């Protein structure tokens, strides 16, 4: 099935807030509250940042938050820091397959 | 602390079968409701889910890879394995193993623990 749609890149200055979108359909993002977000630094394994749309794993900064409206989920990072520069991926449960990933978004901290 | 570690050949010839193992330590691979999955990432590209299995429930595979993929488990060794048959250069990727906690829907959870990944190159 098609990957979820994410912007290829976003950027922001230190201290600012940015939002990354993840657009799917009623068969995935819009139909289930099982959206996750991952952060991946170069050469490293992905790290779970948000699960079940809005929940944060223990140890993840509260600067990271998740939300959903209709078929689009969003990851917001507030108080942007240099260490946030990374690739971010969303994933969702789907009616035809348990897991589908988004294409990924490169976050640049200016 | 749960840890996952992938192992296997770094080079596989075209048309052959890719075989990888994920060793799980610090937790039980047979815990009810947990799913154990494989995800891959071609060089410079995004993440692709391959499949997930549960000791207590059924296995699930990506529709695009289902015909070539098998995931199996050896609970005595606390490890699970991935086999991808008839590989081509398109199967060249970093392969990750990871865990999904239980949810009402099978394999619906995000992956909370990941291995470091292992690069597999398909080339003659």
């Amino acid at each position: 099935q098609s990957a979820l749609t994410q912007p290829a890149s976003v950027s922001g200055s230190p201290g600012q807030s940015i939002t990354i979108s993840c657009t799917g359909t009623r068969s995935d993002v819009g139909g289930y509250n099982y959206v996750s977000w991952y952060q991946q630094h170069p050469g490293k394994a992905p790290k779970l940042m948000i699960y079940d749309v809005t929940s944060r794993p223990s140890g993840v900064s509260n600067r990271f938050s998740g939300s959903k409206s209709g078929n689009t989920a969003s990851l917001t990072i507030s108080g942007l820091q240099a260490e946030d520069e990374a690739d971010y991926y969303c994933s969702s449960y789907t009616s035809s397959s348990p897991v589908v990933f988004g294409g990924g978004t490169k976050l640049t901290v200016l | 602390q749960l840890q996952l570690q992938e192992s296997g050949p770094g080079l596989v010839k075209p048309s052959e079968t890719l075989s990888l193992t994920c060793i799980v330590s610090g937790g039980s691979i047979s815990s009810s409701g947990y799913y154990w999955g494989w995800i891959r990432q071609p060089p410079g590209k995004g993440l692709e889910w391959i499949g997930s299995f549960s000791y207590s429930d059924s296995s699930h595979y990506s529709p695009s890879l289902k015909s070539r993929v098998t995931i199996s488990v050896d609970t005595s060794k606390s490890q699970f394995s991935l086999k991808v048959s008839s590989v081509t250069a398109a199967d060249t990727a970093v392969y990750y193993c990871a865990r999904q906690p239980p949810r009402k829907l099978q394999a619906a959870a995000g992956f909370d623990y990941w291995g470091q990944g292992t690069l597999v190159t398909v080339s003659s």
Side-chain angles (χ1 to χ4, degrees):
Chain A
Q1 71 275 23
S2 300
L4 306 175
T5 300
Q6 297 182 232
S9 63
V10 299
S11 63
S13 299
Q16 288 186 332
S17 293
I18 64 93
T19 296
I20 300 172
S21 62
C22 172
T23 302
T25 67
R26 288 189 305 171
S27 297
D28 39 64
V29 174
Y32 306 94
N33 289 322
Y34 290 121
V35 175
S36 298
W37 289 92
Y38 302 88
Q39 176 192 66
Q40 186 180 35
H41 288 111
K44 300 295 186 180
K47 175 185 177 182
L48 182 66
M49 305 301 284
I50 297 289
Y51 64 94
D52 297 353
V53 181
T54 61
S55 298
R56 260 189 324 273
S58 174
V60 172
S61 170
N62 59 9
R63 297 187 298 105
F64 292 82
S65 62
S67 62
K68 188 181 82 167
S69 177
N71 297 335
T72 298
S74 299
L75 172 71
T76 298
I77 308 174
S78 59
L80 208 56
Q81 299 179 0
E83 68 206 47
D84 299 332
E85 185 163 294
D87 293 326
Y88 290 85
Y89 294 90
C90 64
S91 74
S92 175
Y93 181 88
T94 88
S95 59
S96 59
S97 176
V99 182
V100 64
F101 284 101
T105 298
K106 182 178 181 59
L107 169 62
T108 300
V109 180
L110 302 171
Chain B
Q1 176 79 345
L2 187 74
Q3 291 185 319
L4 294 85
Q5 177 68 58
E6 305 89 351
S7 64
L11 181 65
V12 181
K13 290 182 168 55
S15 79
E16 295 188 345
T17 296
L18 178 161
S19 296
L20 295 175
T21 296
C22 180
I23 298 174
V24 178
S25 59
S28 174
I29 203 169
S30 57
S31 295
S32 180
Y34 284 86
Y35 275 81
W36 305 87
W38 289 94
I39 302 100
R40 70 181 184 180
Q41 185 172 35
K45 296 187 178 181
L47 301 172
E48 179 183 22
W49 175 70
I50 300 171
S52 297
F53 95 96
S54 170
Y55 184 78
S56 58
D57 295 309
S58 55
S59 298
H60 302 272
Y61 297 106
S62 166
S64 64
L65 294 169
K66 187 174 184 178
S67 63
R68 298 194 294 128
V69 168
T70 302
I71 298 176
S72 59
V73 62
D74 185 339
T75 55
S76 66
K77 296 181 180 179
S78 195
Q79 64 186 40
F80 61 104
S81 301
L82 170 72
K83 291 188 186 299
V84 182
S85 63
S86 305
V87 298
T88 68
D91 294 306
T92 294
V94 174
Y95 284 77
Y96 296 99
C97 58
R99 187 190 79 165
Q100 294 172 283
R103 289 294 185 276
K104 288 184 179 179
L105 295 177
Q106 295 184 3
F111 293 93
D112 59 353
Y113 285 92
W114 293 67
Q116 64 185 29
T118 186
L119 174 63
V120 178
T121 301
V122 178
S123 175
S124 56

